[in-house]
């Protein structure tokens, strides 16, 4: 017993350290401001030694350039606005969020989530909850707020432990945040950052939001299976029989609101609109002479794939407006831009952060530090023969560890991508595959960090059903999910790697694939 207590207290001290250290970190915006300042100083030092490398693609000599020079000062001043407005993720994400914001504003996502759980057979309810939690990330963080309390009510109504329902909903929404059967804002955001980083090696490189689609769509089913199994085989047996005496007064009397007929009809109409829209798109790309096809009538690559974000944007507008008019949540045409404005307002912190990220990446690339670091690192890894699967697995684990301190997925990738994307490109890995590996490490460990604001929110949900719950309770409950997701996802990646399967339309693991 003493040994167990010792281990628990040691683990708690680790969590306390993570929380204290993370809380002392400045705002992500300031982190990138400081990093930009550091790049300015380092560039001057490296340039003073005339350090250079041979560009592996062009064969040209790449020399370190100093930002503390006349040329550097002019670059910083003349490109500041262009760095911001031309930053690839900005337009992609804002466009996606305009469409998704309308869907969220009219109530489409809420109805879909509630109806799926409401209609799911009792035998598969755990997996249904996990599925809607994973798919709910199309509405950004909404699933982490909606699904856990809804799952608790459903579990309790079935005579099961409500905290297990909360755990399943949270694990699916946060642990599976990066996976979806639809193209989400996360795909656009990460693809833009990866593109900016990859252009340090190849100026023509373009990563699209669908470049990880095959792998991430498959991951949805893996995550649902793992979350369901862990909930039923590990979490519920550990929690035991639920004792209602520890519940907050009135919480057990709450009932799940049934989806009304008008909402069901609206959802049906929106699905019909979705099918019609998809039919129109298929009709447009079917002819080999279609303007949406590439040279020779191919689909990969093609204008259809390179312009997928506008196509998805229109899709969300069509289904959302259909739902809103049918459900009477859109009463006049002016309601549509109001919903869009609300979505953009929610994106304001991201827009501010992008300004600093864009300058940092632009400085890093202009000074040629990214290329120099990438070439030297790749040469060293090849010299010690540390390449291939072992390197990718270590990379995933390192990203998972860093996720405990920098919880913003976009901020962490903006920090890591300029170093690792070029380096892995020189090792013949496609930038989209490096991005995929990052997504595994980031998403599977997001359940554990005390800095995740949704962790504290979900702890509040747990306390309503069991007032004895504390931070240790939710962390210990999430550990089995994190282990299962990390191990399962890495195994899936290994299978994908060994079979050399495409990770997205026309996108292979290797650059020469």
């Amino acid at each position: 017993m003493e040994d167990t207590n010792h281990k628990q207290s040691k683990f708690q001290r680790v969590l306390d350290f993570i929380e204290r250290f993370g809380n002392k970190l400045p705002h992500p915006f300031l982190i990138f401001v400081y990093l930009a300042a550091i790049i300015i100083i380092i560039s001057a030092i490296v340039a003073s030694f005339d350090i250079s490398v041979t560009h592996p693609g062009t064969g040209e000599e790449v020399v370190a350039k100093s930002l503390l020079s006349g040329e550097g000062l002019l670059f910083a001043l003349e490109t500041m606005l262009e760095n911001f407005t031309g930053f690839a993720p900005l337009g992609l994400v804002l466009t996606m969020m305009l469409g998704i914001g309308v869907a969220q504003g009219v109530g489409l996502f809420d109805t879909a989530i509630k109806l799926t759980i409401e209609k799911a057979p009792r035998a598969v309810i755990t997996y249904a909850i996990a599925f809607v939690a994973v798919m709910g990330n199309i509405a950004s963080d909404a699933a982490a707020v909606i699904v856990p309390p809804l799952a608790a009510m459903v579990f309790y109504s079935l005579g099961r432990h409500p905290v297990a329902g909360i755990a399943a909903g949270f694990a699916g929404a946060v642990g599976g945040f990066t996976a979806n059967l639809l193209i989400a804002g996360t795909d656009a955001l990460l693809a833009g950052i990866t593109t900016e980083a990859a252009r340090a090696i190849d100026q023509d490189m373009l990563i699209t939001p669908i470049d990880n689609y095959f792998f991430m769509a498959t991951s949805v089913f893996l995550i649902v299976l793992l979350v369901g199994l862990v909930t039923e085989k590990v979490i519920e047996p550990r929690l035991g029989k639920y004792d209602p005496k520890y519940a907050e007064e009135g919480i057990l009397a709450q009932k799940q609101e049934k989806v009304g007929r008008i909402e069901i009809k609206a959802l049906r109409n929106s699905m019909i609109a979705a099918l019609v829209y998809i039919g129109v798109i298929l009709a447009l790309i079917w002819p080999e002479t279609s303007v949406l096809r590439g040279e020779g009538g191919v689909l990969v690559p093609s204008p259809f794939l390179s312009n997928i974000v506008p196509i998805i944007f229109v899709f969300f507008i069509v289904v959302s407006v259909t739902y809103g008019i049918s459900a009477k949540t859109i009463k006049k045409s002016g309601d549509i831009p109001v919903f869009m404005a609300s979505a953009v307002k929610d994106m304001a912190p991201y827009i501010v952060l992008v300004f600093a990220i864009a300058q940092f990446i632009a400085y890093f690339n202009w000074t040629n530090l990214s290329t120099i670091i990438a070439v030297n690192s790749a040469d060293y890894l090849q010299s010690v023969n540390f390449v291939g699967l072992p390197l990718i697995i270590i990379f995933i684990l390192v990203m998972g560890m860093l996720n405990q301190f920098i919880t913003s997925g976009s901020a962490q990738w903006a920090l890591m991508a300029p170093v690792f994307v070029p380096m892995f490109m020189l090792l013949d890995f496609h930038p989209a595959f490096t991005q995929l590996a990052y997504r595994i490490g980031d998403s599977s460990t997001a359940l554990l960090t005390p800095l995740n604001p949704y962790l504290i929110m979900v702890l509040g949900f747990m306390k309503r059903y069991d007032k004895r719950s504390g931070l240790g309770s939710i962390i210990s409950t999430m550990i089995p999910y994190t282990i299962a997701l990390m191990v399962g996802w890495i195994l899936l990646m290994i299978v994908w790697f060994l079979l050399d399967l495409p990770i997205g339309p026309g996108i292979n693991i290797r650059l020469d694939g």
Side-chain angles (χ1 to χ4, degrees):
M1 177 65 91
E2 288 182 5
D3 186 51
T4 301
N5 289 337
H6 172 71
K7 287 182 180 178
Q8 287 178 338
S9 62
K10 185 176 181 180
F11 180 65
Q12 188 62 49
R13 287 198 296 271
V14 171
L15 293 178
D16 290 344
F17 168 76
I18 291 173
E19 189 169 15
R20 286 196 304 272
F21 182 82
N23 287 336
K24 288 181 179 179
L25 288 174
H27 188 281
F29 176 88
L30 293 176
I31 289 178
F32 283 96
V33 170
Y34 298 151
L35 286 172
I38 291 171
I39 291 297
I40 292 172
I41 295 169
I42 292 177
S43 69
I45 296 172
V46 175
S48 68
F49 288 97
D50 295 324
I51 293 176
S52 65
V53 295
T54 300
H55 194 290
T58 64
E60 297 177 357
E61 185 183 23
V62 177
V63 182
K65 295 192 290 186
S66 171
L67 281 162
L68 285 178
S69 64
E71 183 186 13
L73 177 61
L74 284 177
F75 169 80
L77 292 175
E78 292 176 351
T79 64
M80 180 179 289
L81 297 181
E82 182 185 338
N83 295 340
F84 177 47
T85 59
F87 193 58
L90 185 61
L92 292 175
V93 175
L94 290 181
T95 302
M96 288 286 290
M97 290 312 298
L98 287 176
I100 292 171
V102 178
Q104 194 167 356
V106 299
L108 173 59
F109 293 137
D110 284 4
T111 298
I113 288 172
K114 291 177 181 177
L115 192 62
T116 302
I117 295 176
E118 183 182 306
K119 298 296 183 182
R122 180 170 182 160
V124 297
I125 190 64
T126 307
Y127 299 91
I129 286 170
F131 179 75
V132 298
V134 175
M135 292 296 293
N137 70 54
I138 192 71
S140 189
D141 300 327
V145 178
I146 297 171
V147 178
L150 190 60
M153 286 189 283
V154 171
F155 266 49
Y156 181 72
S157 69
L158 297 175
R160 299 172 65 179
H161 205 299
V163 172
I166 292 173
F170 184 60
V174 175
F177 184 81
T178 196
N180 209 297
L181 296 178
L182 302 173
I183 304 301
T186 302
D187 298 290
L189 172 58
L190 297 180
I193 294 173
T194 307
T195 296
E196 295 285 344
R199 286 178 176 171
I201 300 298
D202 183 353
Q203 279 294 322
D204 297 323
M205 181 61 68
L206 174 66
I207 309 302
T208 74
I210 61 172
D211 283 2
N212 289 160
Y213 182 74
F214 293 162
F215 185 87
M216 285 304 162
T218 305
S219 296
V220 170
F221 302 102
L222 173 69
I223 295 165
V224 169
L225 177 64
L226 293 175
V227 170
L229 288 174
V230 170
T231 302
E232 295 185 343
K233 304 299 182 182
V234 180
I235 303 303
E236 284 194 278
R238 176 175 175 269
L239 290 172
K241 185 175 176 58
Y242 179 59
D243 189 344
K245 74 179 183 183
Y246 295 108
E248 179 185 290
E249 185 178 351
I251 187 67
L252 299 181
Q254 289 187 355
K255 302 293 182 183
Q256 177 186 347
E257 290 185 15
K258 289 190 175 293
V259 178
R261 287 185 180 181
I262 188 172
E263 285 82 11
I264 294 175
K265 180 182 177 182
L267 188 61
R268 182 198 64 194
N269 291 345
S270 67
M271 291 177 68
I272 293 172
L275 291 174
V276 171
Y277 180 81
I278 292 171
V280 170
I281 295 298
L282 290 175
L284 288 174
I285 65 174
W286 188 265
E288 289 191 5
T289 55
S290 170
V291 294
L292 292 178
R293 286 180 175 261
E295 285 187 31
V298 299
L299 274 176
V300 182
S302 67
F304 169 70
L305 294 181
S306 60
N307 293 287
I308 195 69
V309 169
I311 292 171
I312 294 171
F313 165 74
V314 177
F315 170 81
F316 277 114
I317 294 299
V318 169
V319 297
S320 303
V321 171
T322 301
Y323 178 92
I325 293 174
S326 301
K328 300 188 182 343
T329 49
I330 292 180
K331 297 181 174 61
K332 57 184 186 299
S333 59
D335 291 338
I336 299 172
V338 170
F339 289 131
M340 288 182 174
S342 178
V344 173
K345 182 177 68 175
D346 292 339
M347 292 296 294
Y350 164 74
I351 296 172
V352 172
L353 178 60
V354 159
F355 180 81
I357 289 176
Q359 308 309 322
F360 163 72
I361 293 179
Y363 291 178
F364 202 44
N365 288 339
W366 183 85
T367 58
N368 289 326
L369 291 179
S370 58
T371 305
I372 291 170
I373 292 172
V375 170
N376 288 327
S377 299
D379 286 346
Y380 173 76
L381 290 171
Q382 287 175 326
S383 70
V384 297
N385 200 32
F386 189 63
V387 293
L389 269 176
L391 176 62
I392 295 298
I393 292 171
I394 292 296
F395 172 71
I396 291 172
L397 296 175
V398 170
M399 293 303 100
M401 291 174 58
L402 290 175
N403 196 33
Q404 303 307 299
F405 303 101
I406 305 175
T407 56
S408 168
S410 59
Q412 187 183 346
W413 186 229
L415 184 60
M416 297 295 114
V419 175
F420 289 102
V421 168
M423 183 181 80
F424 283 172
M425 286 178 70
L426 297 177
L427 296 174
D428 196 35
F429 288 115
H430 196 287
F433 181 66
T434 308
Q435 173 185 282
L436 181 153
Y438 164 75
R439 295 173 77 162
I440 293 174
D442 175 64
S443 195
S444 58
T445 58
L447 293 166
L448 289 185
T449 172
L451 302 178
N452 185 340
Y454 294 103
L455 190 78
I456 305 304
M457 179 193 70
V458 170
L459 174 58
F461 294 150
M462 289 177 62
K463 280 182 171 293
R464 300 194 71 184
Y465 286 93
D466 189 341
K467 59 187 178 185
R468 299 170 297 176
S469 300
L471 185 59
S473 305
I474 190 169
I475 292 291
S476 61
T477 301
M478 291 299 115
I479 286 176
Y481 290 110
T482 294
I483 294 173
L485 290 174
M486 179 68 85
V487 173
W489 234 335
I490 288 177
L491 289 175
L492 178 64
M493 185 272 296
I494 290 173
V495 170
W496 220 276
F497 187 95
L498 295 177
L499 295 178
D500 197 23
L501 299 173
I503 57 177
I507 304 299
N508 297 308
I509 292 172
R510 298 283 188 177
L511 279 168
D512 63 0

